[in-house]
């Protein structure tokens, strides 16, 4: 079966080579090829923000970001690889390139649309980042380009077999807190969470309409217990910013519920939620148990818990401290895990049991038709 398919594919390639002066020959994909599409914020951004009109608050393309693995700063918010890199490795795909990279040409493997600082609400850091809905519009552009590379049946198959990873929400909650905004005087916490989840649901449904069937989501981290959260509480030693963590919890509950509903509502829709909230909480509170030495303080930054967002010295605060060995830390900067912590999270997303990654883990989603 596969042999025949390859043979036909080869014939198609061979004939278009002579017929098409554009050189847009059909790409031939083995049946089991599964692409990876990535949406979200800094946890997933592999460098899209290097190519937009923004500022260094929303970029990480300078030292000491990224250097442990890549030897230069790619735009990833960590000392090395981030979750989508590990998932691509596990799925035997190459690293998925930022869609806005000028050399982007990875149509059959997938694309990364994530943008550091982004939220599900368009208002979250509007004008500085690519919000989730705009990421969706880039995905639709991608599809138009894909349809020039593959015939309709192949493109359809690629989109329905693909896994769509989305990490969004944290910025929608962190921004009002760090800006001391009065948004929670206008909305109850529940109303605000429902807006965030509503915008995310819209995007999931649009991807589904385009043919996407398999979705993966890490839930939102215990935001008030990240170095930035603790720093907001400066004065009260070692305390998390509980109001912020409470929003993350509300969000996570609503996310689980809405995905269950979508599974009933949308034929063929399958998903994986990874409990990043618990995975991170455990490492923050018991670093030694997971091979770390430090769970509260960031490796890079300044102030209490190194929770002030100054890593690299190119943002509004120029002073920063850098630890000797990032692998001893759960957090690289004020809000982002180290490569080592990301690797542990990615492994659990990939092959974790249903209490950590369910109802399916990502490995199961990649293996399904
Ligand atoms: C999402 O949120 C904003 C509010 O910031 C709203 O204006 C926008 O239309 C919403 N919808 C989508 C699909 O993003
Ligand atoms: C935050 O806002 C409140 C009320 O709007 C104000 O009393 C308080 O001083 C502000 N805090 C900071 C750090 O700006
Ligand atoms: C950094 O820390 C990790 C984890 O504790 C350890 O395995 C590694 O040997 C350390 N590296 C250096 C250069 O000290």
């Amino acid at each position: 079966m596969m042999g025949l398919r390859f043979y036909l594919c080869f014939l198609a390639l061979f004939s278009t080579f002579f017929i098409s002066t554009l050189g847009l020959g059909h790409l031939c994909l083995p049946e089991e090829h599964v692409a990876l599409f990535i949406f979200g914020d800094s946890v997933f951004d592999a460098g899209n923000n290097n190519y937009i009109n923004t500022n260094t608050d929303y970029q990480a393309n300078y030292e000491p970001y990224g250097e442990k693995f890549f030897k230069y700063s790619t735009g990833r918010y960590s000392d090395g690889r981030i979750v989508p890199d590990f998932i691509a490795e596990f799925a035997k795909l190459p690293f998925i390139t930022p869609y806005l990279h000028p050399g982007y040409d990875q149509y059959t493997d997938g694309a990364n649309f994530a943008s550091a600082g982004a939220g599900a609400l368009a208002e979250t850091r509007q004008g500085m980042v690519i919000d989730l809905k705009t990421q969706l519009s880039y995905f639709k552009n991608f599809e138009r380009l894909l349809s020039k590379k593959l015939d309709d049946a192949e493109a359809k198959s690629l989109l329905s077999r693909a896994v769509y990873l989305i990490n969004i929400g944290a910025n929608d909650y962190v921004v009002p807190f760090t800006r001391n905004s009065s948004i929670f005087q206008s909305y109850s916490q529940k109303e605000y969470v429902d807006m965030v989840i509503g915008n995310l649901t819209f995007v999931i449904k649009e991807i589904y309409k385009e043919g996407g069937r398999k979705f993966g989501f890490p839930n939102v981290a215990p935001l008030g217990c990240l170095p930035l959260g603790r720093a907001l509480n400066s004065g009260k030693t070692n305390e998390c910013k509980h109001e912020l963590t409470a929003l993350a919890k509300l969000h996570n509950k609503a996310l689980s519920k809405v995905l269950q509903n979508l599974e009933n509502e949308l034929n063929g829709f399958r998903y994986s939620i990874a409990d990043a909230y618990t995975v991170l909480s455990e490492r923050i509170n018991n670093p030694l148990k997971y091979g770390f030495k430090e769970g509260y303080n960031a490796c890079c930054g300044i102030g209490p818990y190194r929770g002030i967002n100054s890593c690299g010295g190119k943002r509004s605060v120029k002073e920063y401290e850098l630890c000797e060995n990032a692998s001893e830390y759960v957090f690289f900067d004020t809000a982002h895990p180290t490569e080592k912590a990301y690797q542990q999270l990615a492994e659990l997303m990939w092959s974790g049991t249903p209490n950590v990654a369910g109802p399916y883990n990502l490995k199961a989603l990649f293996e399904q038709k």
Side-chain angles (χ1 to χ4, degrees):
M1 203 49 208
M2 271 254 313
L4 177 63
R5 200 185 139 81
F6 264 128
Y7 177 70
L8 292 175
C9 216
F10 176 76
L11 276 184
L13 188 67
F14 191 71
S15 51
T16 46
F17 180 76
F18 286 100
I19 294 162
S20 158
T21 49
L22 292 170
L24 291 173
H26 289 269
L27 297 162
C28 297
L29 295 174
E31 286 268 348
E32 68 277 16
H33 185 83
V34 178
L36 176 58
F37 295 98
I38 297 148
F39 300 81
D41 56 27
S42 54
V43 171
F44 280 4
D45 186 355
N48 280 308
N49 279 14
N50 301 351
Y51 308 106
I52 64 172
N53 187 12
T54 184
N55 66 41
T56 49
D57 282 346
Y58 309 110
Q59 292 174 322
N61 51 353
Y62 43 83
E63 289 179 12
Y65 284 106
E67 293 183 327
K68 175 176 164 181
F69 183 83
F70 295 97
K71 311 298 172 213
Y72 70 102
S73 306
T74 59
R76 287 168 173 81
Y77 277 76
S78 187
D79 52 322
R81 288 163 291 180
I82 56 176
V83 164
D85 299 320
F86 289 109
I87 301 302
E89 278 182 27
F90 301 154
K92 304 201 163 55
L93 291 167
F95 290 146
I96 305 300
T97 313
Y99 182 64
L100 297 184
H101 188 288
Y104 175 82
D105 184 22
Q106 219 181 1
Y107 295 91
T108 55
D109 291 328
N112 183 333
F113 303 98
S115 168
L121 301 180
E123 269 150 357
T124 297
R125 303 204 173 103
Q126 197 153 34
M128 304 309 287
V129 302
I130 311 162
D131 68 273
L132 189 61
K133 194 176 171 190
T134 307
Q135 293 179 29
L136 173 71
S137 73
Y138 289 166
F139 172 65
K140 291 181 178 176
N141 287 340
F142 163 90
E143 285 187 286
R144 280 188 282 276
L145 296 170
L146 184 71
S147 70
K148 296 189 177 134
K149 310 251 169 197
L150 298 180
D151 66 40
D152 284 356
E154 279 180 316
K156 213 173 149 219
S157 154
L158 185 141
L159 295 173
S160 71
R161 285 169 174 283
V163 171
Y164 299 81
L165 283 186
I166 308 178
N167 187 85
I168 204 81
N171 288 301
D172 297 304
Y173 304 113
V174 167
V175 169
F177 270 86
T178 50
R179 301 219 173 132
N180 197 22
S181 113
S182 59
I183 191 91
F184 294 112
Q185 283 155 24
S186 321
Y187 295 97
S188 74
Q189 296 203 338
K190 178 167 184 312
E191 285 167 339
Y192 190 79
V193 168
D194 285 347
M195 279 200 307
V196 173
I197 295 283
N199 274 17
L200 170 56
T201 307
F202 172 85
V203 168
I204 296 170
K205 285 185 166 173
E206 286 292 305
I207 297 172
Y208 178 87
K209 276 190 214 157
E210 301 301 318
R213 291 295 177 269
K214 307 171 186 175
F215 293 79
F217 309 84
N219 65 10
V220 169
L223 299 175
C225 303
L226 311 184
L228 83 86
R230 280 183 216 275
L232 286 173
N233 255 353
S234 54
K236 294 190 225 158
T237 322
N238 281 353
E239 256 197 48
C240 301
K241 183 81 177 163
H242 295 298
E243 303 95 309
L244 195 45
T245 304
L247 280 166
K249 277 190 186 161
L250 270 182
H251 174 96
N252 290 344
K253 238 174 138 174
L255 178 65
S256 296
K257 189 95 191 61
V258 86
L259 291 175
Q260 270 174 29
N261 292 344
L262 288 175
E263 190 183 34
N264 294 330
E265 188 184 322
L266 306 174
N267 193 21
F269 176 88
R270 280 151 290 165
Y271 68 96
S272 173
I273 301 188
D275 191 3
Y277 182 99
T278 303
V279 170
L280 271 175
S281 298
E282 286 172 349
R283 282 151 185 81
I284 291 168
N285 295 322
N286 307 292
L288 294 177
K289 188 173 161 195
Y290 297 95
F292 301 95
K293 290 187 180 155
E294 181 54 58
Y296 284 1
N297 295 289
C299 165
C300 186
I302 194 104
Y305 311 100
R306 293 189 182 140
I308 291 168
N309 186 21
S310 67
C311 183
K314 293 205 191 290
R315 303 189 181 123
S316 55
V317 177
K318 304 297 175 208
E319 306 80 49
Y320 72 101
E321 298 163 352
L322 179 64
C323 68
E324 293 246 318
N325 184 351
S327 301
E328 294 173 349
Y329 287 70
V330 175
F331 291 102
F332 184 62
D333 74 5
T334 171
H336 305 100
T338 53
E339 176 182 86
K340 181 165 150 185
Y342 271 145
Q343 177 162 14
Q344 292 182 4
L345 174 60
E347 281 168 1
L348 290 165
M349 289 171 68
W350 181 254
S351 57
T353 47
N355 59 321
V356 189
Y360 299 105
N361 56 33
L362 290 179
K363 182 168 185 282
L365 287 186
F366 269 90
E367 283 168 1
Q368 287 168 10
K369 261 196 106 150

